[in-house]
Amino acid sequence: MVSLFIIIPFVLAAFLPLIEKVSKRFLPDLLTNLAILFLLIYSMTFGYQVVASHSGIRHFQWFNQNLNIVFALDGFSLFMLFAIYLVSFGVTLFSIDYMEHYGSKGIFYALFMIMVGGMSGLVLATDLFTIYVFLEVAAISSYGLVAYGLKHDELEASFKYLALSAVATAFLLLGIALIFSITGSLKLGDIADRFFKEDAKFIMYICTGFFIFGFGLKAALVPFHSWLPDAHPSAPAPISAMLSGLLIKVSGVYALTRIFLNVFGLTPAVSTVLMYLGIISILVGAVLALGQDDIKRMLAYSSISQVGYIILGFGAGTSFAIMGALFHILNHALAKGLLFLNSGSVEHSTGTRDLNKMGGLGKRMPITAATTVVGSLSVAGVPPLNGFWSKLFIIIGLLQARAYGFAFVAVLASIITLWYYIIIQRRAFFGKLKETLQNVKEVPFWMALSTLLIALVCIIIGIGFPVVISKWITPAVNILEYGIRYAMQYLRL
Amino acid sequence: MQELYLISLCALVFFSVLAVLLKDLLKAALSLMAASVFLAVVLFFMKAYYAGVFEISVVAGLITVLFVSTIGLTRGDDFKESKLPVYIFPLFFIWFIIIDILIMYLLLSKMPPLTKWLSESGKFGDVLWQKRTFDLFAQIGIIFAGVFSVLALFRKRDKND
């Protein structure tokens, strides 16, 4: 059942605060981790079979009543689901120990599961308004999660995030309303068909503008990025990992890509706009990351830069570029998730995020230091780690599209990325151990295990990338390359 | 009728912006209430009667009562109102109306008449209960997210925090 991807997170979320009354820690930890693990395995087994047999269309029913809502599990949505559950599993394992001192684990996990359910619904939806509603589900739970620490900075960041997201939402709704008034439908297939048949290019370009603004703000593309460097560092580390690793990609990049490539079609004008937004984000994010002393803030700026690579790849529109962009979604979700979790480990052990107050931590926290090296090298694109291959594909794709200047800047920014990740390593983990950090210890078991597992996955994907490409990425590339014909044929339900 | 519709739209924008600009919370809450009433009028004009009734009863009614009671119970000294709204607001409002009219004029002249495809139109109840039922389930998700967020914000912290 495709709908299990949505039902399980929501049902568990509804019961978790009640379960917390019976067992404060053990049951919420166990059930959440089991549910996410089940969804991960389910996506890899059942989900993969459904996509392979091209039978991924499911009409949602409730007590045998058709609810006139349709979910489609295709190569693209399955790939996103796989990425969501893989990173989420690492995050929930990490949360077992990390969220201990925050209190009310049941409510934390409930919000977490609602966010996962919202993201799952978003990638399975075949209808513009359903996409919007699930986007809001994920967004509202993330506001609560950013503020979860209840300190001044967290509350301020959450409010800023909420206010800017509301602006994004207003633009998205405006675009959706305009599309509905023109096409009379909200189904992706119908919209693609009617825009293709009717000469409504002017309206389509207006909607394109609204969506670039709305989804661009959700994806934190420059110049819509101002909320991210506040919101992501302020949240508890597992939530920073989810927001930077997944949410900006699902609610921003996925939705943008699905609409522009499968519904509107990637016109040369839109392609150019996306490529420029991508390259500006890459450069601005990388340069701003260089000047940061707060480790999480540096990672947040790095996310802006890496999302730029993904958008640049989709904007270029060639096979290799799309393949690289999709692969970079997974790789960056894993590596940035790992780095945010490790920044949480450092903060947990030292009580600070300020790089000036760190030094020599590798001696006291060897697992955290080693896994941070893996995450950093992966994001910077050093071979043979996973991030290298995705960036390589994007750059080959840019060369195929004869965008030589963009390719050059992308390589240059990759060197800047390596530079600021070396700064993190040198200032935090290498050198002489500071006197104030003499009593620092390695993080508890579940936190260490979680980061080790994610680092291992980064290495395995780096070495075995052809398998990941053929099994998970190629079906998604085929769908995006098929363009609006895909929506017209398969999403008219 | 058309004029009344346009006046309601302008008044909606006017009171919404005023609610943001006013420093006195009580006046801001009353401006929000006025904005809600005009939004309800707009919804009635658009034949969205249920939405209009909800807007008046819940937002203009219930929420305003909650706001006013809370402000009344917690209010400290009187605020000195900023002069910014007096000078800036009328200029902003006129500018907004001109830009809005220009955009709508451009937009309407370019919109093709595609009403033949209105497959999802129909009575409010039909659309909500028969064609878009699932949205209600997703909206339950939104309500849950909101409730849990409030519970998280007002939760008891551990002793050692």
Side-chain angles (χ1 to χ4, degrees), chain A residues 371-452:
Chain A
T371 50
T372 305
V373 171
V374 174
S376 301
L377 296 181
S378 171
V379 177
V382 174
L385 288 161
N386 52 352
F388 167 73
W389 300 110
S390 47
K391 281 190 180 174
L392 182 69
F393 292 143
I394 291 173
I395 289 160
I396 294 173
L398 289 170
L399 295 177
Q400 276 183 338
R402 295 174 188 274
Y404 303 116
F406 287 95
F408 174 75
V409 178
V411 174
L412 190 74
S414 201
I415 296 166
I416 301 175
T417 309
L418 183 61
W419 183 9
Y420 62 75
Y421 277 111
I422 288 173
I423 291 176
I424 292 184
Q425 299 300 324
R426 192 173 55 80
R427 291 173 72 183
F429 297 105
F430 288 83
K432 199 180 168 191
L433 183 69
K434 290 208 170 174
E435 277 188 23
T436 48
L437 305 173
Q438 292 293 338
N439 297 324
V440 165
K441 287 178 188 167
E442 185 54 275
V443 289
F445 175 75
W446 292 110
M447 287 165 71
L449 178 71
S450 145
T451 52
L452 270 175

Side-chain angles (χ1 to χ4, degrees), chain A residues 13 17 60 68-69 71 100-102 104 107 111 114 127 129-130 133-134 137 140 144 148-150 181-184 186 194 198 202-203 206, chain B residues 106-107 110-112 114 116-120 130-135 137-139 141-142 144-146 148-149 151-153 155 157-158 161:
Chain A
F60 198 84
N68 198 40
I69 203 81
F71 290 124
E100 209 51 36
H101 69 281
Y102 279 88
S104 298
I107 291 173
L111 283 169
I114 291 174
D127 169 313
F129 195 72
T130 311
V133 175
F134 277 111
V137 171
I140 290 174
Y148 206 79
L150 297 180
S181 69
I182 290 298
T183 64
L186 291 165
R194 287 163 199 181
E198 285 291 328
F202 179 74
I203 299 297
I206 289 177
Chain B
L106 276 171
L107 206 63
K110 299 268 184 179
M111 275 173 89
L114 300 181
K116 59 184 176 184
W117 275 320
L118 285 175
S119 58
E120 291 199 35
Q130 289 170 24
K131 295 183 175 173
R132 303 212 58 88
T133 325
F134 188 78
D135 290 342
F137 291 90
Q139 281 164 30
I142 291 180
F144 266 114
F148 291 149
S149 296
L151 285 175
L153 291 175
R155 74 185 187 276
R157 301 296 306 272
D158 277 4
D161 278 332

